[in-house]
């Protein structure tokens, strides 16, 4: 049996970072493969992964090129020599704050214009060109910023109008189906849920009502202690204690 050296070069690699969200455990940031004939003098750039301000990193090598354990036909014993990987981490470039740049350009052009006027308006062409360029860039950024803000406003206004129309339509339908009925709107709604919706939807309605009732009575207990609250000409009995439990919409109807 002959003995030789086997050079193992990294193949499948995973870059991991320590994440505070999982108690400092390492999570995958990105994975990449290195070709067997790759030039070792060249850098391979990996992008589009979130560092999340992690201070601890590690590189996990899942497989190697020229791994002798995968060659079952070889009977020679070889000593293994593992090649390493040099990793450099760079912070991403900070994006330019357009709104902050508007303030800078406006203030700078205003100060230069004031200095020019204080000198009697006499200045060189280079300073005038700088002032004009700053004012032009400031107007361009401001117009783009306002155009985006107005587009968002118009879209939000359109969505609000659409939702308002949908609600008005539902109100009309509710008034139509409730015409001639002595029941309150929530009684009709609960009856509809009991007849048409599945068990999960009915349970969600009960959970929502229970949550609001608990909060309502807790607030009133803290304020009035179960006493009678007088509001102008009205007297409202604020019930103290816990609201009776219920598990279905039939309990709410009762």
């Amino acid at each position: 049996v002959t003995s030789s050296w086997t050079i193992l070069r990294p193949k499948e690699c995973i870059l991991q970072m320590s994440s505070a969200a999982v108690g400092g455990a390492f999570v995958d940031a990105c994975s990449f493969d290195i070709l067997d004939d790759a030039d070792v003098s060249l850098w391979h750039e990996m992008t589009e992964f979130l560092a999340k301000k992690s201070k601890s990193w590690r590189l996990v090598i899942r497989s190697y090129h020229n791994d002798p354990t995968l060659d079952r036909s070889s009977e020679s014993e070889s000593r293994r020599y593992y090649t390493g990987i040099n990793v450099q981490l760079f912070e991403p470039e900070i994006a330019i704050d357009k709104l902050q740049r508007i303030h800078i350009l406006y203030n700078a052009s205003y100060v230069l214009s004031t200095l020019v006027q204080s000198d009697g308006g006499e200045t060189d062409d280079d300073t005038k060109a700088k002032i004009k360029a700053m004012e032009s860039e400031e107007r361009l950024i401001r117009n783009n910023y306002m155009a985006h803000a107005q587009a968002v406003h118009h879209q939000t206004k359109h969505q609000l109008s659409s939702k308002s129309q949908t609600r008005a339509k539902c109100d009309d339908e509710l008034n139509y189906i409730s015409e001639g009925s002595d029941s309150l709107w929530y009684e009709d709604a609960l009856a509809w849920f009991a007849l048409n919706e599945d068990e999960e939807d009915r349970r969600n309605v009960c959970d929502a009502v229970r949550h609001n009732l608990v909060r309502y009575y807790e607030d009133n207990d803290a304020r009035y202690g179960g006493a009678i609250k007088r509001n102008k000409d009205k007297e409202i009995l604020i019930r103290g204690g816990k609201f009776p439990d219920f598990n279905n919409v039939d309990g709410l109807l009762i």
Side-chain angles (χ1 to χ4, degrees):
V1 178
T2 59
S3 178
S4 61
W5 284 94
T6 299
I7 300 178
L8 296 173
R9 293 176 295 275
K11 180 180 180 182
E12 297 176 317
C13 305
I14 300 177
L15 183 63
Q16 296 183 337
M17 64 180 182
S18 176
S19 175
V22 290
F26 284 92
V27 297
D28 294 351
C30 69
S31 58
F32 57 93
D33 295 341
I34 300 178
L35 299 178
D36 192 16
D37 57 351
D39 190 346
V40 295
S41 63
L42 298 179
W43 286 93
H44 299 270
E45 183 177 353
M46 307 298 169
T47 59
E48 298 182 358
F49 62 89
L50 298 178
K52 298 181 180 179
K53 299 181 179 180
S54 178
K55 301 301 182 182
S56 299
W57 296 79
R58 73 180 182 185
L59 186 67
V60 178
I61 301 176
R62 298 187 60 185
S63 63
Y64 293 87
H65 291 288
N66 200 28
D67 190 346
T69 59
L70 301 179
D71 187 7
R72 300 183 180 275
S73 62
S74 176
E75 298 181 356
S76 61
E77 294 182 358
S78 61
R79 299 178 180 180
R80 301 177 184 180
Y81 182 88
Y82 293 87
T83 60
I85 298 180
N86 190 5
V87 178
Q88 293 186 3
L89 300 174
F90 298 92
E91 291 291 339
E93 294 183 358
I94 301 176
I96 298 176
D97 188 345
K98 295 294 185 181
L99 190 58
Q100 184 66 28
R101 188 165 180 80
I102 290 178
H103 295 303
I104 295 174
L105 291 170
Y106 175 82
N107 293 334
S109 61
Y110 176 78
V111 170
L112 285 178
S113 299
T114 303
L115 292 175
V116 170
Q117 293 176 1
S118 63
D119 292 338
E122 297 181 0
T123 185
D124 53 50
D125 295 336
D126 185 47
T127 302
K128 292 181 179 179
K130 288 182 179 179
I131 295 175
K132 186 176 180 179
M134 286 189 292
E135 292 176 343
S136 177
E137 184 179 356
E138 185 268 334
R139 285 194 300 269
L140 178 61
I141 297 176
R142 184 179 69 250
N143 292 338
N144 291 336
Y145 184 85
M146 292 304 299
H148 177 265
Q150 290 173 356
V152 172
H153 173 73
H154 292 158
Q155 181 63 23
T156 305
K157 184 178 180 180
H158 172 73
Q159 293 179 0
L160 177 61
S161 177
S162 177
K163 298 297 182 182
S164 300
Q165 293 175 2
T166 302
R167 178 178 178 179
K169 182 179 179 181
C170 292
D171 288 339
D172 293 340
E173 293 179 356
L174 178 61
N175 293 332
Y176 175 76
I177 63 178
S178 301
E179 186 176 359
S181 174
D182 295 333
S183 301
L184 297 175
W185 69 267
Y186 55 85
E187 294 178 342
D188 291 332
L190 290 173
W192 187 87
F193 265 95
L195 294 174
N196 297 281
E197 294 301 309
D198 57 24
E199 184 63 29
E200 183 179 358
D201 290 330
R202 291 195 291 269
R203 189 185 308 111
N204 291 337
V205 171
C206 290
D207 291 342
V209 174
R210 185 183 297 106
H211 173 74
N212 285 278
L213 282 175
V214 169
R215 185 173 59 181
Y216 173 76
Y217 281 112
E218 286 179 350
D219 292 344
N220 286 319
D221 282 343
R223 292 183 184 180
Y224 310 106
I228 295 179
K229 174 187 175 184
R230 290 178 172 82
N231 183 8
K232 293 184 179 180
D233 298 332
K234 296 182 179 180
E235 289 186 354
I236 304 175
L237 178 62
I238 304 301
R239 181 185 179 282
K242 183 181 178 182
F243 192 85
D245 196 12
F246 52 88
N247 298 317
N248 53 55
V249 292
D250 295 331
L252 287 176
L253 286 172
I254 295 174

